[in-house]
Amino acid sequence: MKKTICAVTAAMLALTSVLCGCSSNGESSSQSGSTTSATVATDTTVKTTGEKIHINDSTLGEIWITELDGVPKNTLNNDSFTSDDTFKYYSENGKPASMEGIDISSYSGTINWDKVKKSGVDFAMVRIGGRGYGSDGKMYSDDSALSYIKGAKAAGIKVGVYFFSQAVNNDEAIEEADYIKSLLGDETIDFPVAYDWEIIKDDDARTDGVSAAQATACAKAFCNRVKELGYTPIIYSPSKELYFKYDLTQLADFDIWYCEYANVPTFYYQFSMWQYSSSGKVDGIEGDVDMNICFTNIADYD
């Protein structure tokens, strides 16, 4: 995520080494090393329908993959999207069916939340913290998170949070969810807690050797723990991880926050939020900001 899902068949899992997607800003240091997983996931059984999906992959071009069984399909009508100079909007049967939002981290600097609200922002996803992708995997908080949350809420903006994960086993994923709770304390939020686990490109990372089965198990462990803590979990990811790293048949109970910088989304399966740009402009925030839309007829977090 700037400033800041799986497995299809056993043969397709070999493609995970070429993953790419939306850019990441969760961890900026270039540390290297490896960590032995304390919890090893070995389930590679993927339930499929036998039907084929035709997708256009940024690395492989046009390819066919097998449809997953029990995973809700994307039913959005791309003709129902409209936009202005700032936002994208979605409607169904002539009625608004979206909320417009942003996601931010401390890189966004000082924010005038009243101006942000007046510009039309309905919700904000705030980076609460992350885990370094060096060998020690130390967790960290975002210094601006709590002030952003308080400021957004005071201006009438709904707030959720995301955590830049580099979990390599279930225990670490659960630890990250608990860490989020400790950082939020008694602070309430309206929107989901997002699991942002990404493939690190152009650098060594502790997650380089994490299998598809383990990546899926980590996401599931995190989301289940988030639910236990009283929050709504969501999985943030571009299509590459969603198609080739995660087994969505095991994650079908959780919402997806999909990342694709495009005019309309192309992901085959259902998602409740879409990050569609990393270069938006919103009054009250200096510089570029990530732009998002939430589909209220799929998941109304309000």
Side-chain angles (χ1 to χ4, degrees):
M1 182 183 301
K2 187 179 189 297
K3 293 191 177 178
T4 53
I5 153 179
C6 9
V8 180
T9 64
M12 293 303 294
L13 292 178
L15 296 172
T16 58
S17 62
V18 297
L19 294 178
C20 62
C22 298
S23 59
S24 168
N25 193 29
E27 165 66 14
S28 57
S29 64
S30 57
Q31 300 167 325
S32 63
S34 60
T35 299
T36 301
S37 174
T39 307
V40 179
T42 58
D43 183 8
T44 58
T45 302
V46 180
K47 299 176 182 179
T48 62
T49 65
E51 299 295 325
K52 297 295 183 179
I53 304 169
H54 181 257
I55 66 172
N56 197 334
D57 180 78
S58 60
T59 302
L60 303 173
E62 294 186 17
I63 60 174
W64 293 91
I65 62 176
T66 305
E67 183 184 61
L68 299 172
D69 188 25
V71 181
K73 299 176 186 178
N74 173 10
T75 59
L76 295 172
N77 181 352
N78 284 345
D79 292 332
S80 296
F81 284 96
T82 57
S83 61
D84 56 26
D85 291 340
T86 306
F87 302 106
K88 290 185 183 294
Y89 308 90
Y90 187 75
S91 62
E92 288 187 0
N93 301 318
K95 297 181 180 180
S98 67
M99 297 177 70
E100 286 62 57
I102 58 175
D103 65 85
I104 55 172
S105 71
S106 56
Y107 293 94
S108 299
T110 301
I111 296 177
N112 185 320
W113 287 105
D114 289 331
K115 287 185 177 181
V116 172
K117 175 62 177 179
K118 289 177 182 178
S119 75
V121 169
D122 299 309
F123 70 93
M125 296 294 291
V126 177
R127 185 180 70 167
I128 191 71
R131 185 189 292 274
Y133 57 84
S135 58
D136 58 346
K138 184 179 180 180
M139 294 189 295
Y140 57 87
S141 62
D142 188 306
D143 293 339
S144 300
L146 290 181
S147 64
Y148 283 167
I149 292 170
K150 293 177 185 294
K153 288 170 62 176
I157 296 172
K158 305 296 183 182
V159 180
V161 299
Y162 70 90
F163 187 89
F164 180 81
S165 171
Q166 281 289 280
V168 298
N169 56 61
N170 295 11
D171 292 342
E172 287 191 347
I174 294 170
E175 178 187 38
E176 291 172 354
D178 289 339
Y179 185 56
I180 293 170
K181 175 60 177 176
S182 72
L183 293 175
L184 286 172
D186 294 330
E187 194 68 49
T188 59
I189 57 175
D190 313 281
F191 263 56
V193 172
Y195 182 70
D196 174 15
W197 188 97
E198 303 180 23
I199 300 298
I200 302 302
K201 298 178 291 182
D202 304 321
D203 209 336
D204 294 325
R206 67 201 308 269
T207 52
D208 287 345
V210 172
S211 68
Q214 185 61 70
T216 300
C218 285
K220 190 173 184 178
F222 178 95
C223 290
N224 281 331
R225 182 57 176 156
V226 163
K227 287 180 66 176
E228 291 174 357
L229 293 170
Y231 305 109
T232 300
I234 194 169
I235 297 169
Y236 168 90
S237 183
S239 63
K240 196 80 73 171
E241 281 92 332
L242 287 167
Y243 281 133
F244 301 130
K245 194 68 174 179
Y246 286 140
D247 175 7
L248 290 186
T249 67
Q250 296 190 47
L251 303 175
D253 291 338
F254 308 118
D255 293 341
I256 290 174
W257 176 11
Y258 174 56
C259 172
E260 180 187 11
Y261 301 153
N263 289 325
V264 293
T266 63
F267 188 57
Y268 183 79
Y269 298 105
Q270 179 177 277
F271 48 95
S272 59
M273 288 168 52
W274 173 34
Q275 183 191 74
Y276 57 84
S277 174
S278 62
S279 56
K281 302 292 185 182
V282 172
D283 192 25
I285 302 177
E286 293 187 9
D288 295 343
V289 64
D290 293 345
M291 305 300 296
N292 297 268
I293 185 170
C294 176
F295 304 101
T296 54
N297 285 355
I298 297 174
D300 191 351
Y301 302 117
D302 189 8

